[in-house]
């Protein structure tokens, strides 16, 4: 997949992922390709976020990108956003929402140079997501047990 970028008011490209990585684009770089309706921040394009910023197997970026953007030296901690959303939908709404709140902070903290806070937010997002999933599982188990016991009680009166 190739993207065009906007640099100092001019459009450049198209560039593949390796070329974008070499150019040191950051989440605020405006990008566009044929599948998009308009120019968008690179940080709002999931494919670019996964492959350039916080995705797996991304080599360490150069220390400073064009425009003075300082790239963090540590890898981006997992934000747990997808897991938090799924836990909220399928498991336990209140605790899943807390997980989503912490998950949504991870990337902003990381790219603003607050790595330790990003790690803490990631850890809290993970904790609340797991709590939500466990409580959802317990709820399903208790609901099944209730249905079984009510069923036996109802059918026990028939015999």
């Amino acid at each position: 997949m190739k993207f065009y970028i906007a640099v100092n008011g001019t459009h450049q490209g198209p560039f593949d992922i390796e070329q974008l990585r070499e150019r040191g684009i950051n989440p605020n770089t405006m990008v566009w390709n044929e599948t998009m309706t308009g120019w968008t921040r690179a940080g709002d394009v999931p494919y670019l976020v996964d492959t350039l910023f916080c995705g797996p197997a991304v080599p360490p970026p150069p220390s400073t990108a064009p425009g003075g953007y300082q790239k963090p030296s540590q890898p981006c901690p997992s934000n747990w956003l997808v897991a938090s959303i799924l836990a909220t939908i399928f498991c336990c709404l209140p605790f899943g929402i807390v997980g989503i709140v912490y998950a949504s902070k991870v990337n902003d903290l990381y790219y603003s140079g607050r790595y330790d806070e990003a790690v803490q937010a990631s850890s809290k997002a993970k904790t609340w997501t797991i709590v939500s999933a466990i409580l959802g599982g317990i709820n399903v188990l208790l609901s099944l047990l209730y249905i079984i016991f009510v069923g036996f009680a109802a059918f026990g009166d028939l015999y």
Side-chain angles (χ1 to χ4, degrees), residues 65-77:
Y69 174 75
Q70 185 69 29
K71 289 190 173 185
S73 59
Q74 300 92 343
C76 183

Side-chain angles (χ1 to χ4, degrees), residues 1 3 5-6 20 28 52 75 84 108 111 117 119 130 138 155:
M1 183 176 293
F3 288 88
I5 61 173
L20 291 175
N28 292 320
L52 291 177
S84 296
D108 288 338
Y111 285 109
E117 292 175 61
V119 169
I130 291 171
I138 291 171
F155 288 115

Side-chain angles (χ1 to χ4, degrees), residues 1 9 13 16 24 30 47 59 71 74 96 101 103 109 116 119 128 132 137 140 142 151 153 158:
M1 183 176 293
D16 62 23
M30 298 302 287
Y47 175 73
K71 289 190 173 185
Q74 300 92 343
V101 169
L109 290 169
D116 293 335
V119 169
W128 286 107
S132 176
V140 168
L142 291 175
L158 297 176

